[in-house]
Amino acid sequence: MKEDILQTIIAHKRIELAAQEEAVPMAHLVQQLDTPSDGISMKASLASSPYGIISEFKRKSPSKGWINAEADAAIIPASYETNGASALSILTDETFFGGTLKDIRTARPLVNLPILRKDFIISEYQLYQAKLIGADAILLIAACLTPQQCMSLARTAHELKLEVLLEIHTEAELAYVNDYIDMVGVNNRNLGTFHTDVENSFRLAEKLPDNYLLVSESGISRPETVISLRTAGFRGFLMGEAFMKNSRPGETLSHFIHELKVCL
């Protein structure tokens, strides 16, 4: 039987969060936050963009190992903005993806794009962290939560002026969509096995609600795929490895958008 990578990650995340909360209690985060201010709307940025590329900053993954171990959060997110990204996704999981909360803190003052905190969020504590480090949106993964947990976390996120991207992988997970969700993402990667199939977005496209901005995540590497996905109703396209495996991710994004323009 193959190891379920997602369950391994969540088990570790619970241990990690317990240690973080012991070091910095929730009450301290609440006190630091005071009155939440509006962030930059990721939904609006994607809706108004002709390309909708969400460029991801990540150093490694459980399936590929190290992708770009020396990646600098003071350089790459800003280069993504310069080269045409519509939004940024920054991994903050350290053990499995090589990220830290500091990566968003570092990038935030250097960019004017919306930043998605991409992590395995299972606790309100992580929402307060996200707001304090300067994130504008958070990812909620249906496979990590119950529908009730998803709604509660999404509601709290809105109270903190954070937008919510709900990630689903199967038709059954459409049950997780609620009034506090701003964007619905289809992950083309199975989080149990990490097998990737971009056809998953096309399979679910017709079943997704019309009133949510749709995002296709993972496994996208060709401009033609983005065009086909846009035709199917998607407006956001999360791409990480396609850029991060190169020494200059921002320039790789620029070439990709140039090819996209030619195809349009």
Side-chain angles (χ1 to χ4, degrees), residues 20 23-37 101 105 125 128-133 160:
Q20 289 177 358
V24 183
M26 178 75 159
H28 182 66
L29 297 188
V30 174
Q31 185 179 25
Q32 275 190 292
L33 188 55
D34 196 24
T35 303
S37 57
L101 295 173
R105 280 195 188 277
Y125 187 85
Y128 280 84
Q129 286 178 325
K131 189 65 180 181
L132 286 167
I133 60 176
L160 297 178

Side-chain angles (χ1 to χ4, degrees), residues 139-197:
L139 180 72
L140 293 181
I141 303 172
C144 298
L145 306 164
T146 66
Q148 293 75 21
Q149 289 169 333
C150 180
M151 178 175 282
S152 177
L153 288 169
R155 182 190 299 116
T156 300
H158 273 200
E159 290 170 359
L160 297 178
K161 305 292 183 69
L162 290 163
E163 289 188 337
V164 180
L165 170 61
L166 170 67
E167 176 180 300
I168 65 172
H169 185 265
T170 65
E171 184 177 351
E173 290 173 347
L174 287 169
Y176 284 73
V177 177
N178 61 67
D179 292 342
Y180 302 99
I181 301 301
D182 301 287
M183 299 160 281
V184 177
V186 176
N187 195 344
N188 302 312
R189 178 174 290 122
N190 184 304
L191 289 176
T193 64
F194 269 60
H195 171 72
T196 302
D197 178 11

